[in-house]
Amino acid sequence: MKKAEIILGAISIISLILNLFLVPGTEEIYVFSSLFLSAFYLYFSFALFNGVKYRQLMKKIAYKGIGIMRVLSAVTTGSAISMIILGVLFNYQIWSGGNELAFLGVVILSLILVISVIKYFTSKATFYIVTIKRAVIYLCFAVLTLTLPKFALLEFKYRNHPDYIEAFKNVVNDDTGNKELREKLKEERRKIDE
């Protein structure tokens, strides 16, 4: 389980970085790896945070000694991390709803982090260390993303194509559905792809 998490996370981060430098094909890889990583946390967090191995996923013995509260805590943590990953993806792609999704994930994960720190000092359970580490990593990532200006990544990515940036901003900020603005954006995109 942990290997899958690391591989998906690495692919997502590497493809994001490469996409910022306009390496062909990396945008699609980033989108799909982020979606898979988000789904991974959403569906397998109960096992991942409790140290259950993939081969033991459906065996009752693997969950011996794990209470319902730990399972619920792991599922909630996984859901919050999933929201953050999707929020970051949406913000990077400049899709609507990214800030709201990431912010909700940050709020939930912050509460989980505080509870996990308190619980760790009272019980010293490794479950809470696992939760704390992931919560800190994803909270830092989300806060960094939420504090960036709306078009910061777009301006960096297309820094050598100012006409495309301007055309993109015009389309995003247009409330009238102006077809000329969209055609100008398509034309500028064709220039980049050539």
Side-chain angles (χ1 to χ4, degrees), residues 9-24 26-27 29-31 33-34 92 141 144 153 156-157 159:
I11 292 170
S12 186
I13 290 169
I14 291 168
S15 61
L16 172 64
I17 293 168
L18 291 175
N19 187 251
L20 285 171
F21 293 99
L22 296 176
V23 175
T26 55
E27 186 166 3
I29 295 170
Y30 171 64
V31 170
S33 62
S34 293
Y92 181 73
F141 194 55
L144 174 69
L153 292 174
F156 178 80
K157 182 177 175 180
R159 60 195 171 280

Side-chain angles (χ1 to χ4, degrees), residues 15-58:
S15 61
L16 172 64
I17 293 168
L18 291 175
N19 187 251
L20 285 171
F21 293 99
L22 296 176
V23 175
T26 55
E27 186 166 3
E28 292 82 2
I29 295 170
Y30 171 64
V31 170
F32 284 114
S33 62
S34 293
L35 291 174
F36 282 125
L37 185 61
S38 174
F40 177 80
Y41 278 114
L42 187 63
Y43 295 115
F44 296 110
S45 59
F46 70 94
L48 178 68
F49 290 104
N50 286 300
V52 176
K53 304 230 183 271
Y54 179 73
R55 293 178 191 253
Q56 298 175 332
L57 200 58
M58 297 299 171

Side-chain angles (χ1 to χ4, degrees), residues 12-153:
S12 186
I13 290 169
I14 291 168
S15 61
L16 172 64
I17 293 168
L18 291 175
N19 187 251
L20 285 171
F21 293 99
L22 296 176
V23 175
T26 55
E27 186 166 3
E28 292 82 2
I29 295 170
Y30 171 64
V31 170
F32 284 114
S33 62
S34 293
L35 291 174
F36 282 125
L37 185 61
S38 174
F40 177 80
Y41 278 114
L42 187 63
Y43 295 115
F44 296 110
S45 59
F46 70 94
L48 178 68
F49 290 104
N50 286 300
V52 176
K53 304 230 183 271
Y54 179 73
R55 293 178 191 253
Q56 298 175 332
L57 200 58
M58 297 299 171
K59 296 180 181 175
K60 192 174 184 178
I61 191 84
Y63 301 98
K64 187 176 181 182
I66 299 174
I68 188 73
M69 289 309 291
R70 275 187 40 186
V71 171
L72 289 175
S73 175
V75 169
T76 306
T77 304
S79 298
I81 291 173
S82 180
M83 282 185 243
I84 288 172
I85 293 168
L86 290 176
V88 169
L89 171 65
F90 278 39
N91 279 340
Y92 181 73
Q93 294 295 108
I94 310 177
W95 295 338
S96 61
N99 280 341
E100 294 81 4
L101 202 52
F103 184 75
L104 181 60
V106 165
V107 169
I108 294 169
L109 200 55
S110 297
L111 290 171
I112 290 168
L113 178 62
V114 169
I115 293 168
S116 295
V117 168
I118 293 168
K119 289 279 198 175
Y120 174 73
F121 284 117
T122 59
S123 71
K124 302 289 187 200
T126 57
F127 169 80
Y128 297 111
I129 286 293
V130 170
T131 303
I132 291 167
K133 285 179 184 177
R134 284 178 178 84
V136 168
I137 291 168
Y138 281 102
L139 283 172
C140 290
F141 194 55
V143 168
L144 174 69
T145 302
L146 287 171
T147 57
L148 285 174
K150 183 176 184 177
F151 296 109
L153 292 174

